[in-house]
Amino acid sequence: MKKPTVGATVHYVSYGTPGGEYAKQCRAAIVTEVRHDGPDLHAPVLSLAVLNPTGMFFNQDVTCSKAHDGGTWHWPEGG
Ligand SMILES: [Zn+2]
């Protein structure tokens, strides 16, 4: 798996609502900072600018999860 760098586009998984009105969704996110290496050197902890259809927000300390947990990032290919 390639290592993300500043400016790369990854997926951020939005949290669904507790009642299930909204499911988790993949959102486009631009890497704004590589915070530090996580346990997996190819899956560092990132800061992201997350692009939602209705707005943009900034997030720090986002960890990688291939399981697509809410609040994590992954490569769009699913890697
Ligand atoms: Zn995705």
Side-chain angles (χ1 to χ4, degrees), residues 25-43:
Q25 294 276 350
C26 286
R27 300 299 188 201
I30 309 294
V31 178
T32 55
E33 181 184 40
V34 178
R35 299 278 281 176
H36 54 81
D37 290 331
D40 180 346
L41 286 181
H42 297 289

Side-chain angles (χ1 to χ4, degrees), residues 11 13 26 68 74-76:
H11 279 188
V13 183
C26 286
H68 294 196
H74 58 268
W75 287 110

Side-chain angles (χ1 to χ4, degrees), residues 9-16 22-30 48-55 57 65-79:
T9 303
V10 298
H11 279 188
Y12 172 82
V13 183
S14 66
Y15 291 98
Y22 294 97
K24 290 180 201 169
Q25 294 276 350
C26 286
R27 300 299 188 201
I30 309 294
L48 299 174
V50 180
L51 309 177
N52 288 292
T54 52
F57 71 93
S65 167
K66 290 174 187 171
H68 294 196
D69 296 322
T72 64
W73 73 268
H74 58 268
W75 287 110
E77 310 82 72

